[in-house]
Amino acid sequence: MAYDVNAPKIEYEGLNGDVIRFNLTDEESGIKHFEGSIDGRFVLFEKVGRSSFIACKLKGTPVKKTGKNHNLELTVTDHRNNQSNYKTQIIY
């Protein structure tokens, strides 16, 4: 019997205009949940079609475009509750 003890992989694809994209992969049990925040405030990330990508359209969030650094955090959990966290700063 195989066990899934590996956390999901998070790859930051970048910020293009007002859209942030990530590629999420989990080779074993699959992605169960993902949640993001910017400057400590929840922002909605949505799946991009049937791909492994998720995206957040910043125009629809409480984050204001200031041209300064913002703290981005993303937490991804798989179906065995293994978890990965990603933190970075974005200029928006």
Side-chain angles (χ1 to χ4, degrees):
M1 176 189 264
Y3 293 97
D4 179 2
V5 294
N6 298 315
K9 292 183 180 131
I10 302 171
E11 293 178 61
Y12 179 59
E13 296 291 318
L15 173 62
N16 186 1
D18 71 334
V19 179
I20 302 171
R21 284 176 50 112
F22 283 93
N23 185 23
L24 308 181
T25 54
D26 186 81
E27 298 298 322
E28 297 176 22
S29 64
I31 304 295
K32 176 172 80 173
H33 180 75
F34 49 86
E35 185 171 308
S37 67
I38 297 178
D39 298 334
R41 299 175 79 179
F42 172 80
V43 292
L44 179 64
F45 278 89
E46 297 179 294
K47 295 254 321 147
V48 177
R50 299 185 77 172
S51 71
S52 60
F53 292 95
I54 62 170
C56 174
K57 296 177 183 171
L58 292 174
K59 283 188 180 178
T61 70
V63 179
K64 301 295 179 218
K65 188 170 188 171
T66 62
K68 297 182 181 179
N69 281 335
H70 294 275
N71 296 312
L72 168 67
E73 294 186 38
L74 181 68
T75 302
V76 180
T77 308
D78 71 12
H79 286 281
R80 299 300 297 160
N81 293 321
N82 299 308
Q83 198 171 73
S84 291
N85 296 299
Y86 185 91
K87 294 180 182 182
T88 192
Q89 289 192 334
I90 59 168
I91 296 176
Y92 178 71

